[in-house]
Amino acid sequence: MKPKHTNTGARLRVVLGPGIALGPGKADLLEAIAATGSISAAGRKLKMSYRRAWLLVEELNGSFQSELVAAGKGGAHGGGARLTELGARVLKHFRSMERKTGKAIAADLSALVTIAKPSK
């Protein structure tokens, strides 16, 4: 059962070790890189600065056994970026966990929404 309000829900954040966390923001960035083929375009799509997008990519790449995002050198035609096979796997697992979490908490979330004070 889905909550009645579309602005309700939970956001999954997975801690994989000290200083290593994966949440919806990083997953959205990976998804946007896969869709656009560019870190800067992905950042723009998510209303994120180029610097912030790059810092998150560096953090992601340093948090796993190998890179999640492979980026080419920039230049006149730009370098481009793509998810590696591992990057696609990490994104797939995270999105699967989000779906499972949503299903597992749906009834409790709906119950909380019905007893919450209505927003103005």
Side-chain angles (χ1 to χ4, degrees):
M1 176 186 223
K2 280 201 165 199
K4 296 175 189 172
H5 306 297
T6 57
N7 59 347
T8 61
R11 292 175 54 89
L12 180 66
R13 183 172 187 264
V14 180
V15 178
L16 302 170
I20 303 172
L22 183 60
K26 288 177 182 172
D28 290 348
L29 180 60
L30 290 175
E31 212 163 62
I33 290 168
T36 64
S38 162
I39 294 170
S40 60
R44 282 192 302 274
K45 182 176 181 176
L46 299 173
K47 298 183 182 3
M48 179 185 297
S49 73
Y50 176 71
R51 177 170 167 69
R52 177 74 177 139
W54 256 107
L55 289 173
L56 289 174
V57 166
E58 286 178 345
E59 189 178 318
L60 284 163
N61 281 347
S63 296
F64 289 87
Q65 293 176 1
S66 61
E67 295 186 322
L68 303 190
V69 177
K73 295 280 186 206
H77 304 290
R82 64 174 180 76
L83 293 191
T84 62
E85 183 181 325
L86 181 60
R89 282 180 41 214
V90 166
L91 180 59
K92 177 184 167 197
H93 287 302
F94 182 79
R95 292 302 190 205
S96 174
M97 291 184 339
E98 278 184 320
R99 283 188 301 279
K100 291 173 185 173
T101 300
K103 288 177 184 175
I105 69 167
D108 290 321
L109 179 58
S110 183
L112 288 176
V113 167
T114 62
I115 61 175
K117 193 174 189 177
S119 56
K120 296 178 181 180

